[in-house]
Amino acid sequence: MALKTLFLAGLTLCSAASYGHAALNINDWSYATDPHGSKAHFHSLQNEAIAIDFERVPRVDKQNNSWVELIYTLPKGDLSTSKSIEIHYQSDQPLIVKLSQSDYGKDGDKSYAHYQALLPKALEWQSHTLTFEQFKRPTWTPDTSQDKGLNLANISAVYLVPSLTDEQGGKAKLAVKSISL
């Protein structure tokens, strides 16, 4: 996994507080791309938000999927005390919000069929609140992946993934001003 950490020492996005949300700490954010040629172009802070552009290559073959994701590592380590997720964002593609649950990732069944919800594309700043009842496993979940339910104590990160197709790949622009749990 080509994980690149977005590190700007001690920098906090104080502007997020003006939207009624806790300020974002840039050190909680990173991104990842597949090893097959997909790219991420991090633009540091733009308009007081975390901004990134993605270029996803088409799926290589049945065994090698392409992917891109902006990752918010949970400061408290899990979502066990959370009731919902509110995000203030812009995205030129619909946005998949995935809950990285250890049961389905590299330490679990390796299906990566995490619970997810879909937000609409937002060419202007929008805020959406997602309750955990809105998250479902993806339709492509393999039969071998046993559904252990949504376990908030086993979720360590929220992945923001532009909804680009496996067949065609594509480009996406994404910016986040705040996220509240």
Side-chain angles (χ1 to χ4, degrees), residues 55-126:
E55 294 178 43
R56 181 179 171 189
V57 298
R59 183 180 192 115
V60 177
D61 56 40
K62 190 172 184 168
Q63 288 76 35
N64 294 290
N65 192 26
S66 65
W67 44 270
V68 295
E69 53 203 17
L70 179 61
I71 303 166
Y72 177 57
T73 302
L74 302 173
K76 294 181 181 178
D78 64 44
L79 290 174
S80 60
T81 61
S82 300
K83 302 287 183 219
S84 63
I85 296 174
E86 183 177 353
I87 183 169
H88 191 73
Y89 73 102
Q90 282 184 328
S91 179
D92 66 356
Q93 299 293 327
L95 187 62
I96 300 168
V97 180
K98 292 184 182 184
L99 303 177
S100 179
Q101 185 170 324
S102 58
D103 302 292
Y104 310 118
K106 67 178 177 165
D107 296 328
D109 69 11
K110 297 176 182 49
S111 70
Y112 299 96
H114 299 293
Y115 277 79
Q116 61 187 36
L118 185 65
L119 292 175
K121 78 176 172 179
L123 300 179
E124 302 294 326
W125 289 107
Q126 289 187 20

